[in-house]
Amino acid sequence: MTYESALKKLKENGQEHVLHYYNDLSAREQEALLAQIEETDFSMLTTKEKEAGKTLSRGRIEPLEALQLDAIREKDAYYRGIGLKALKEGKVGAVLLAGGMGTRLGSDDPKGMYDIGLTKHVYIFQRIMENTMDVVRECGAWIPFFVMTSDKNHDATTRFFEEHDYFGYPKEEILFFKQDMAPASDYNGKVYMESPCKMSTSPNGNGGWYISMNRAGITDLIHKKGIEWLNIFAVDNVLQRIADPVFVGAVLDTGSDVGSKVVRKASPDERVGVMCLEDGKPSIVEYYELSDEMRVAKNEKGEYAYNYGVILNYLFNVKALERIMDQNLPLHVVEKKIAHIDADGNEVHPEAPNGYKYEQLVLDMIHELDTCLPFEVVREKEFAPIKNREGVDSVDTARELLKKNGYEL
Ligand code: UTP
């Protein structure tokens, strides 16, 4: 891209300041900046939905029943049989979403490198791979394993896996791919500069995982290998069950487009996204989007009607994913801390949020699909998220849950 066309593009988007240092840059730096301008989509910065966390408009919300623990236990052997067969036949792949920045945890390293051990090393990535190995042993086959990283943590992540010998997993069964990035801006939608020759960017949310996989050429491999289902999950749940045969079996048996692991809410007011139907299609609404009446509403069995929270563990049908790949997911504007340079070129690492990142979320993919099976799991056995350094969903709470489940730390 030439300087003139870059300037034109920036002017159209109100971002001319990006070229402020251009004349002070080396030829290589100038080239890099022009290339970044060329590949950046600035349209999101002018979105009208400027308020962080602004609620997207919702359709008609109704309850969506979950497959509950009792019913699952009754058919455990049946579902397990179906799941193990599919896993053995290589029809299920696992996708670890590890492109996030983990800003709340506050470590500069990728979140998966965090060591939660007390007397020995227990890295988050290690926990994930150990849990995957449980199923590998049960089904007697390697599960094709994909790891989504971002520009910010790709090298550190791949190096860490290599240094730890892929935690016993065969190297050739693990493929890393990078997710797309989005510009990060101040509160007026002006993109921040990370350095004089680079705009600040952040991973574009976990909703772009399949598109990023496709761009990396991995979907060709998925077809070639005959993978029909993809189990995607968050990096930060250290009790995460991956490619759980019973879950796989239940989703396959019901022929749903997607399955979602859910936990029973601790109380009607718990602040989790819940599974429901929106205009007749599966959807996830945030706790604040439910009216007081809906929060306590009961179904004909006398149970809370909106009672199942999502834990970011989904099993997607690949054909269904392909049908929705071209859909534009809603954009979420999130207030975050964004490192940048100030007007004098000094580096700033803010202690408090100072602008917006722009993200698409995997939970919005669910609403694009026709059918979803919410599948209940026992919270204390499967949900130990590490979001914060202290307090709720922290290293401490996760350690407690791990110990309760018999893990030595
Ligand atoms: P979170 O919503 O907790 O975001 O991610 P985060 O970036 O890890 O953490 P904070 O908000 O900055 O503290 C949930 C899951 O989605 C992945 C994360 O790695 C985590 O597994 N994720 C998130 C991505 O893969 N890419 C993204 O752009 C965002």
PDB file of all heavy atoms in Angstrom, residues 34 58 67 70 93 107 140 208 230 272 301 320 324 339 364 386:
ATOM      1  N   LEU A  34       2.549   0.593   6.821  1.00  0.00           N
ATOM      2  CA  LEU A  34       1.621   0.649   5.676  1.00  0.00           C
ATOM      3  C   LEU A  34       0.914  -0.701   5.490  1.00  0.00           C
ATOM      4  O   LEU A  34      -0.288  -0.759   5.222  1.00  0.00           O
ATOM      5  CB  LEU A  34       2.355   1.043   4.390  1.00  0.00           C
ATOM      6  CG  LEU A  34       2.915   2.477   4.359  1.00  0.00           C
ATOM      7  CD1 LEU A  34       3.643   2.749   3.031  1.00  0.00           C
ATOM      8  CD2 LEU A  34       1.835   3.530   4.571  1.00  0.00           C
ATOM      9  N   ARG A  58     -32.545  -7.879  22.026  1.00  0.00           N
ATOM     10  CA  ARG A  58     -32.889  -9.294  22.126  1.00  0.00           C
ATOM     11  C   ARG A  58     -34.255  -9.596  21.532  1.00  0.00           C
ATOM     12  O   ARG A  58     -35.138  -8.741  21.508  1.00  0.00           O
ATOM     13  CB  ARG A  58     -32.922  -9.707  23.606  1.00  0.00           C
ATOM     14  CG  ARG A  58     -31.545  -9.802  24.228  1.00  0.00           C
ATOM     15  CD  ARG A  58     -30.821 -10.969  23.642  1.00  0.00           C
ATOM     16  NE  ARG A  58     -29.510 -11.156  24.242  1.00  0.00           N
ATOM     17  CZ  ARG A  58     -28.627 -12.034  23.807  1.00  0.00           C
ATOM     18  NH1 ARG A  58     -28.886 -12.790  22.779  1.00  0.00           N
ATOM     19  NH2 ARG A  58     -27.470 -12.163  24.384  1.00  0.00           N
ATOM     20  N   LEU A  67     -30.468 -31.315  29.268  1.00  0.00           N
ATOM     21  CA  LEU A  67     -30.391 -32.736  29.604  1.00  0.00           C
ATOM     22  C   LEU A  67     -29.744 -32.782  30.988  1.00  0.00           C
ATOM     23  O   LEU A  67     -28.591 -32.373  31.154  1.00  0.00           O
ATOM     24  CB  LEU A  67     -29.538 -33.466  28.560  1.00  0.00           C
ATOM     25  CG  LEU A  67     -29.493 -34.979  28.640  1.00  0.00           C
ATOM     26  CD1 LEU A  67     -30.883 -35.590  28.483  1.00  0.00           C
ATOM     27  CD2 LEU A  67     -28.574 -35.545  27.553  1.00  0.00           C
ATOM     28  N   ASP A  70     -29.600 -36.597  36.164  1.00  0.00           N
ATOM     29  CA  ASP A  70     -30.270 -37.895  36.370  1.00  0.00           C
ATOM     30  C   ASP A  70     -30.454 -38.634  35.044  1.00  0.00           C
ATOM     31  O   ASP A  70     -30.158 -39.823  34.927  1.00  0.00           O
ATOM     32  CB  ASP A  70     -31.668 -37.686  36.980  1.00  0.00           C
ATOM     33  CG  ASP A  70     -31.556 -37.293  38.427  1.00  0.00           C
ATOM     34  OD1 ASP A  70     -30.418 -37.342  38.932  1.00  0.00           O
ATOM     35  OD2 ASP A  70     -32.587 -36.933  39.030  1.00  0.00           O
ATOM     36  N   GLY A  93     -12.503 -33.640  17.059  1.00  0.00           N
ATOM     37  CA  GLY A  93     -11.265 -32.894  17.326  1.00  0.00           C
ATOM     38  C   GLY A  93     -11.479 -31.986  18.520  1.00  0.00           C
ATOM     39  O   GLY A  93     -12.614 -31.662  18.875  1.00  0.00           O
ATOM     40  N   SER A 107      -0.738 -11.670  34.272  1.00  0.00           N
ATOM     41  CA  SER A 107       0.604 -12.189  33.960  1.00  0.00           C
ATOM     42  C   SER A 107       0.921 -11.839  32.511  1.00  0.00           C
ATOM     43  O   SER A 107       0.039 -11.805  31.669  1.00  0.00           O
ATOM     44  CB  SER A 107       0.602 -13.708  34.155  1.00  0.00           C
ATOM     45  OG  SER A 107       1.680 -14.291  33.472  1.00  0.00           O
ATOM     46  N   GLY A 140      -8.640 -45.137  23.353  1.00  0.00           N
ATOM     47  CA  GLY A 140      -7.567 -45.849  22.644  1.00  0.00           C
ATOM     48  C   GLY A 140      -7.162 -45.181  21.329  1.00  0.00           C
ATOM     49  O   GLY A 140      -6.654 -45.842  20.424  1.00  0.00           O
ATOM     50  N   GLY A 208     -14.147 -15.754  16.618  1.00  0.00           N
ATOM     51  CA  GLY A 208     -13.605 -15.895  15.271  1.00  0.00           C
ATOM     52  C   GLY A 208     -12.808 -17.178  15.077  1.00  0.00           C
ATOM     53  O   GLY A 208     -12.100 -17.349  14.088  1.00  0.00           O
ATOM     54  N   LEU A 230     -16.229 -30.693  16.532  1.00  0.00           N
ATOM     55  CA  LEU A 230     -15.126 -29.986  17.191  1.00  0.00           C
ATOM     56  C   LEU A 230     -15.554 -29.559  18.593  1.00  0.00           C
ATOM     57  O   LEU A 230     -16.568 -28.880  18.752  1.00  0.00           O
ATOM     58  CB  LEU A 230     -14.707 -28.759  16.376  1.00  0.00           C
ATOM     59  CG  LEU A 230     -13.972 -29.068  15.060  1.00  0.00           C
ATOM     60  CD1 LEU A 230     -13.818 -27.795  14.223  1.00  0.00           C
ATOM     61  CD2 LEU A 230     -12.607 -29.719  15.310  1.00  0.00           C
ATOM     62  N   VAL A 272     -24.262 -15.499  35.599  1.00  0.00           N
ATOM     63  CA  VAL A 272     -23.705 -16.285  34.482  1.00  0.00           C
ATOM     64  C   VAL A 272     -24.631 -16.166  33.274  1.00  0.00           C
ATOM     65  O   VAL A 272     -25.822 -15.903  33.425  1.00  0.00           O
ATOM     66  CB  VAL A 272     -23.549 -17.792  34.821  1.00  0.00           C
ATOM     67  CG1 VAL A 272     -22.445 -18.037  35.810  1.00  0.00           C
ATOM     68  CG2 VAL A 272     -24.863 -18.387  35.320  1.00  0.00           C
ATOM     69  N   LYS A 301     -42.377 -28.479  35.843  1.00  0.00           N
ATOM     70  CA  LYS A 301     -41.872 -29.431  36.839  1.00  0.00           C
ATOM     71  C   LYS A 301     -41.546 -28.731  38.166  1.00  0.00           C
ATOM     72  O   LYS A 301     -41.032 -29.350  39.097  1.00  0.00           O
ATOM     73  CB  LYS A 301     -40.596 -30.090  36.316  1.00  0.00           C
ATOM     74  CG  LYS A 301     -40.828 -31.013  35.128  1.00  0.00           C
ATOM     75  CD  LYS A 301     -39.517 -31.711  34.767  1.00  0.00           C
ATOM     76  CE  LYS A 301     -39.428 -31.984  33.296  1.00  0.00           C
ATOM     77  NZ  LYS A 301     -38.086 -32.039  32.757  1.00  0.00           N
ATOM     78  N   ALA A 320     -22.519 -27.870  10.365  1.00  0.00           N
ATOM     79  CA  ALA A 320     -23.300 -26.726  10.862  1.00  0.00           C
ATOM     80  C   ALA A 320     -22.417 -25.479  10.924  1.00  0.00           C
ATOM     81  O   ALA A 320     -22.843 -24.376  10.580  1.00  0.00           O
ATOM     82  CB  ALA A 320     -23.884 -27.040  12.237  1.00  0.00           C
ATOM     83  N   ILE A 324     -22.735 -21.555   8.917  1.00  0.00           N
ATOM     84  CA  ILE A 324     -22.847 -20.223   9.548  1.00  0.00           C
ATOM     85  C   ILE A 324     -21.567 -19.394   9.414  1.00  0.00           C
ATOM     86  O   ILE A 324     -21.484 -18.283   9.918  1.00  0.00           O
ATOM     87  CB  ILE A 324     -23.206 -20.333  11.050  1.00  0.00           C
ATOM     88  CG1 ILE A 324     -22.091 -21.048  11.844  1.00  0.00           C
ATOM     89  CG2 ILE A 324     -24.539 -21.024  11.227  1.00  0.00           C
ATOM     90  CD1 ILE A 324     -22.199 -20.839  13.336  1.00  0.00           C
ATOM     91  N   ALA A 339      -2.017  -0.947  26.422  1.00  0.00           N
ATOM     92  CA  ALA A 339      -0.677  -0.340  26.428  1.00  0.00           C
ATOM     93  C   ALA A 339      -0.510   0.468  25.143  1.00  0.00           C
ATOM     94  O   ALA A 339      -0.981   0.069  24.084  1.00  0.00           O
ATOM     95  CB  ALA A 339       0.376  -1.434  26.524  1.00  0.00           C
ATOM     96  N   ASP A 364     -22.207 -16.102  20.692  1.00  0.00           N
ATOM     97  CA  ASP A 364     -23.115 -15.598  19.656  1.00  0.00           C
ATOM     98  C   ASP A 364     -23.233 -16.569  18.487  1.00  0.00           C
ATOM     99  O   ASP A 364     -24.172 -16.465  17.688  1.00  0.00           O
ATOM    100  CB  ASP A 364     -22.646 -14.228  19.162  1.00  0.00           C
ATOM    101  CG  ASP A 364     -22.863 -13.150  20.219  1.00  0.00           C
ATOM    102  OD1 ASP A 364     -23.944 -13.139  20.824  1.00  0.00           O
ATOM    103  OD2 ASP A 364     -21.939 -12.352  20.441  1.00  0.00           O
ATOM    104  N   ILE A 386     -10.047 -19.923  36.085  1.00  0.00           N
ATOM    105  CA  ILE A 386      -9.084 -18.978  36.663  1.00  0.00           C
ATOM    106  C   ILE A 386      -9.163 -17.693  35.848  1.00  0.00           C
ATOM    107  O   ILE A 386      -8.648 -17.617  34.733  1.00  0.00           O
ATOM    108  CB  ILE A 386      -7.644 -19.548  36.618  1.00  0.00           C
ATOM    109  CG1 ILE A 386      -7.584 -20.840  37.430  1.00  0.00           C
ATOM    110  CG2 ILE A 386      -6.642 -18.521  37.132  1.00  0.00           C
ATOM    111  CD1 ILE A 386      -6.221 -21.484  37.478  1.00  0.00           C
TER     112      ILE A 386
END
